[in-house]
């Protein structure tokens, strides 16, 4: 085991301790965990409270506990080293936000504007158009008429972060270019660990008062989310990401999938 890995293990241990203390604080101040006995509020009673507050949510909430890792990647400029492979396409790299911006030399017509992935699934496989495109998957929940989003897949789960996103720009039925961020040289910091279920994450989100009355939970997905940056690298963990539609807008809420803490 090298010194760098030892350093990461100690760092994660400190993070886990901090999260434990935060969780203990919230429990002492009235935020209850999911229990079935002892007089505490059960999952059923919490879901009933959501309905009383006019909060709707998907009918089928998964009770499956999944698994994931603490992972990290260096904040390097990998994409800047791949510009030459894009040929005549105009490419610019921003060192500040590690983002590659590309304008296609020849616009690409979408075969079906209502299903842009039918065209773009082929585009991302072409290495002269997109760097590491085969590492991304279509994400309809973040896409719109003028911007189609793909997210990087890491150890079987999509990234739910601005890092690891591929955003295609659409104009009048044509793909004119994209912006891209990418995680390279990802390192597993700890062994695989179980996550809480989708249902439990939603229950805790409500108990943390993060679901306003008269709102609609449109979807909840598990993905890797940025936890912190340290020593030139960024740490990511699995998190449950929920899209919550209110009267005025759609907001996104996140729950740490390892311990149920709210991630701001």
């Amino acid at each position: 085991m090298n010194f760098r890995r030892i350093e990461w293990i100690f760092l994660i241990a400190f993070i886990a301790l901090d999260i434990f203390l935060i969780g203990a604080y919230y429990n002492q101040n009235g935020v209850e965990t999911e229990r079935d006995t002892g007089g505490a509020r059960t999952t059923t009673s919490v879901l009933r409270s959501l309905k009383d507050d006019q909060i709707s949510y998907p009918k089928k909430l998964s009770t499956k506990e999944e698994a994931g890792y603490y992972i990290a990647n260096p904040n390097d400029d990998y994409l800047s080293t791949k510009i030459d492979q894009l040929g005549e396409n105009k490419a610019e790299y921003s060192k500040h936000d590690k983002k590659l911006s590309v304008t296609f030399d020849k616009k690409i017509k979408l075969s079906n504007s209502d299903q842009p992935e039918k065209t773009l699934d082929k585009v991302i496989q072409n290495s002269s158009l997109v760097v590491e495109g085969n590492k991304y998957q279509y994400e309809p929940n973040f896409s719109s008429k003028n911007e189609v989003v793909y997210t990087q897949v890491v150890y079987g789960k999509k990234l739910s972060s601005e890092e690891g996103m591929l955003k295609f720009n659409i104009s009048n039925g044509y793909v004119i270019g994209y912006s891209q961020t990418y995680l390279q040289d990802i390192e597993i910091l700890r062994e695989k660990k179980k996550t809480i279920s989708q249902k439990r994450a939603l229950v805790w989100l409500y108990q943390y008062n993060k679901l306003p009355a008269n709102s609609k939970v449109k979807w909840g997905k598990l993905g890797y989310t940025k936890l912190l940056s340290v020593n030139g690298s960024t740490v990511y963990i699995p998190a449950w990401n929920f899209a919550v539609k209110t009267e005025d807008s759609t907001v996104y809420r996140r729950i740490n999938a390892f311990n149920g803490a709210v991630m701001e």
Side-chain angles (χ1 to χ4, degrees):
M1 182 180 294
N2 57 39
F3 286 107
R4 177 179 173 80
R5 190 166 184 80
I6 293 173
E7 183 182 55
W8 277 118
I9 290 174
F10 276 111
L11 174 63
I12 294 302
F14 280 119
I15 294 170
L17 177 61
D18 287 343
I19 291 173
F20 170 78
L21 293 174
I22 291 171
Y25 169 81
Y26 277 115
N27 284 332
Q28 290 173 0
N29 285 273
V31 177
E32 301 167 356
T33 57
E34 179 183 7
R35 300 191 186 109
D36 294 322
T37 59
R41 303 174 72 190
T42 65
T43 298
T44 301
S45 66
V46 172
L47 295 179
R48 188 181 303 118
S49 295
L50 266 78
K51 292 183 179 179
D52 292 341
D53 286 340
Q54 301 297 308
I55 300 171
S56 61
Y57 53 87
K59 292 182 179 180
K60 294 184 178 180
L61 292 173
S62 174
T63 58
K64 178 183 178 182
E65 293 181 343
E66 301 193 37
Y69 303 95
Y70 282 93
I71 61 174
N73 87 293
N75 298 322
D76 59 22
D77 296 308
Y78 173 76
L79 289 177
S80 67
T81 68
K82 299 296 181 179
I83 289 178
D84 288 347
Q85 80 178 47
L86 299 175
E88 298 299 320
N89 299 298
K90 181 182 177 182
E92 297 179 348
Y93 180 76
S94 170
K95 191 176 181 66
H96 173 71
D97 50 14
K98 312 296 180 184
K99 181 181 293 184
L100 179 65
S101 298
V102 176
T103 301
F104 289 137
D105 179 53
K106 296 180 180 179
K107 296 185 294 185
I108 300 171
K109 183 175 176 58
L110 294 175
S111 61
N112 185 336
S113 294
D114 294 327
Q115 294 179 299
E117 72 277 13
K118 288 190 172 182
T119 298
L120 293 174
D121 281 351
K122 298 177 182 178
V123 171
I124 64 174
Q125 299 300 322
N126 187 336
S127 61
S128 67
L129 297 176
V130 180
V131 177
E132 305 287 359
N134 61 347
K135 305 291 179 59
Y136 296 80
Q137 287 184 5
Y138 176 52
E139 182 48 79
N141 291 313
F142 294 147
S143 298
S144 65
K145 180 179 179 181
N146 298 319
E147 184 177 74
V148 179
V149 177
Y150 279 64
T151 53
Q152 187 178 346
V153 179
V154 178
Y155 295 110
K157 291 180 174 58
K158 291 182 178 180
L159 281 163
S160 298
S161 178
E162 282 298 317
E163 296 83 3
M165 277 196 174
L166 181 58
K167 300 179 180 180
F168 288 99
N169 305 315
I170 312 298
S171 177
N172 298 319
Y174 285 86
V175 189
I176 60 176
Y178 62 87
S179 64
Q180 179 184 12
T181 52
Y182 180 72
L183 303 190
Q184 171 71 2
D185 295 331
I186 297 170
E187 178 181 4
I188 294 175
L189 303 180
R190 292 184 61 184
E191 68 277 2
K192 186 176 286 188
K193 182 180 177 181
K194 281 188 176 182
T195 69
I196 61 175
S197 69
Q198 182 191 43
K199 179 179 283 189
R200 177 170 290 190
L202 182 65
V203 165
W204 279 350
L205 197 63
Y206 175 74
Q207 291 182 308
Y208 280 118
N209 296 317
K210 295 298 182 180
L211 296 178
N214 302 302
S215 62
K216 178 181 180 179
V217 180
K218 297 170 64 178
W219 50 261
K221 293 182 178 293
L222 184 64
Y224 280 101
T225 298
K226 180 179 177 179
L227 178 63
L228 55 84
S229 294
V230 63
N231 293 339
S233 294
T234 303
V235 179
Y236 297 83
I237 61 168
W240 281 103
N241 299 269
F242 292 92
V244 184
K245 182 175 177 56
T246 64
E247 183 177 350
D248 300 321
S249 63
T250 297
V251 296
Y252 298 93
R253 304 296 189 200
R254 293 182 298 169
I255 286 283
N256 184 316
F258 284 146
N259 63 17
V262 172
M263 300 178 70
E264 299 293 350

